[in-house]
Amino acid sequence: MPNLIIGATGLLGKALMREYAPGAAVGVGSKQVDIRQRSQVEAAVERVRPDWIVLAAAYTDVDGCETNQQLAFDVNCRGAVNVVQAAREFGSRLMFLSTDYVFDGTKEAPYQAHDERNPQSVYGKSKAEAEIHITELLPDACVVRTSWLYGVGGRCFPDTILNLAARRPDIDVVNDQRGSPTYAPDLAHAIVQLCAKDAGGIVHATNRGDCTWYEFAREIVTRAGLPTVIHPTTSDKFVRPAARPKYSVLSPSTLEKYGVEMPTWHDALTRYLRERLAR
Ligand SMILES: NC(=O)c1ccc[n+]([C@@H]2O[C@H](COP(=O)([O-])OP(=O)(O)OC[C@H]3O[C@@H](n4cnc5c(N)ncnc54)[C@H](OP(=O)(O)O)[C@@H]3O)[C@@H](O)[C@H]2O)c1
């Protein structure tokens, strides 16, 4: 049976649809299936009868979630529960995409899958609550946490930096938030492997290595051969509606348990820039 990708029109969803062999996955965006509508979710799952449902759909505007709290929980939490119920009803496995923002960022060593959740933003809270419901309702579900996702064909950090660098001699970027940038095609590749390996429980999946946003931006402009100077700054000079974790590096040990290794973020960035140039 094909897998069902919910959120196939998003950054990760598009990468997933490219990763699967033709016919191996059916993808839906919010126009076909609004996960807030349980009947729409059930109808899609009943039609496809997937081995796996990959739930990549979410309300991902982290700052927007602060002002649209109801929408954040309706989509990210109650919508996810609708998908769990359908997975239970039709006997599908479920892979739910989650985030490093379920952590508070006070650790100074990579977060393990079993570390306590303590989200600091509405987005993080809505995803953390979904994780709890999902693992209670469907104990063999796989929760894949990732971070700092980017890719060609969607709004993302490297794209913003490259667009700014094309018209500005200087850019200030925060140097006090550390994480692991993750290239959507690499995550899609890991997800397909995890499904094939019948993964369950919480798995951390990011590109290897870590950096601050400043370090990432500097590497982006350097590799793109742009003269723009990137200046380090601090989060208190860049106040945004949602709090971000200062440190959200995720340990790869759960991924390694399944024999899956993701490329380094440096390697991924090289491929992203090549792909972006080719478009
Ligand atoms: N972006 C990041 O930095 C990041 C970091 C960590 C974890 N994640 C997680 O990774 C997953 C994929 O993120 P992404 O960046 O690929 O997301 P994205 O590009 O923002 O795409 C969001 C997807 O969700 C769909 N969607 C939104 N509301 C929906 C609804 N009510 N019903 C059904 N579908 C709905 C959208 O469909 P339409 O476009 O058709 O409306 C789209 O396909 C999400 O679970 C996210 O929480 C992302």
Side-chain angles (χ1 to χ4, degrees):
M1 285 301 173
N3 288 353
L4 175 63
I5 315 302
I6 302 183
T9 45
L11 195 56
L12 175 62
K14 282 186 202 150
L16 275 165
M17 293 309 291
R18 281 194 295 267
E19 184 66 27
Y20 278 103
V26 173
V28 290
S30 68
K31 286 201 180 72
Q32 292 84 40
V33 176
D34 184 334
I35 58 172
R36 292 171 297 176
Q37 306 298 327
R38 188 155 165 198
S39 58
Q40 291 187 20
V41 177
E42 276 175 0
V45 177
E46 184 172 21
R47 180 170 52 85
V48 179
R49 298 274 176 160
D51 284 337
W52 279 89
I53 302 169
V54 181
L55 179 51
Y59 177 38
T60 58
D61 177 351
V62 175
D63 289 325
C65 285
E66 295 297 313
T67 38
N68 298 305
Q69 192 159 339
Q70 177 79 35
L71 181 62
F73 277 86
D74 280 350
V75 176
N76 296 346
C77 188
R78 286 181 274 277
V81 169
N82 286 338
V83 179
V84 177
Q85 305 285 20
R88 274 162 58 119
E89 194 177 334
F90 295 100
S92 300
R93 298 289 312 275
L94 174 70
M95 183 165 290
F96 171 69
L97 268 297
S98 192
T99 170
D100 53 332
Y101 285 17
V102 299
F103 296 120
D104 60 18
T106 54
K107 252 187 113 174
E108 289 172 352
Y111 278 94
Q112 302 295 331
H114 59 261
D115 277 336
E116 199 183 334
R117 303 172 184 96
N118 188 21
Q120 299 298 300
S121 60
V122 171
Y123 169 73
K125 285 176 186 154
S126 66
K127 298 292 278 190
E129 208 170 287
E131 286 189 1
I132 294 166
H133 288 307
I134 287 168
T135 43
E136 271 171 16
L137 291 166
L138 199 63
D140 73 348
C142 185
V143 172
V144 175
R145 292 190 188 128
T146 192
S147 64
W148 296 22
L149 199 61
Y150 69 97
V152 173
R155 263 188 56 211
C156 62
F157 181 80
D159 194 53
T160 303
I161 292 296
L162 289 167
N163 288 335
L164 285 175
R167 53 192 157 83
R168 285 189 11 195
D170 302 89
I171 310 172
D172 290 347
V173 182
V174 295
N175 196 28
D176 56 2
Q177 291 170 28
R178 179 166 291 276
S180 301
T182 302
Y183 186 38
D186 288 348
L187 179 59
H189 188 63
I191 285 171
V192 172
Q193 290 178 78
L194 287 169
C195 290
K197 290 175 187 226
D198 265 334
I202 299 175
V203 177
H204 286 174
T206 69
N207 277 124
R208 279 185 293 133
D210 56 79
C211 58
T212 65
W213 289 113
Y214 158 75
E215 290 164 350
F216 190 30
R218 209 180 43 183
E219 197 68 19
I220 292 164
V221 294
T222 304
R223 284 180 188 228
L226 296 166
T228 304
V229 181
I230 307 292
H231 299 287
T233 187
T234 49
S235 307
D236 57 356
K237 300 209 179 64
F238 248 97
V239 180
R240 297 168 80 180
R244 268 80 173 164
K246 291 249 174 266
Y247 180 94
S248 64
V249 180
L250 303 178
S251 163
S253 60
T254 41
L255 197 62
E256 287 163 2
K257 193 179 97 185
Y258 290 105
V260 179
E261 187 179 80
M262 289 182 62
T264 64
W265 71 263
H266 286 96
D267 176 78
L269 180 59
T270 306
R271 284 177 287 119
Y272 164 79
L273 290 170
R274 206 183 299 139
E275 192 191 341
R276 192 176 184 271
L277 211 60
R279 289 224 166 181

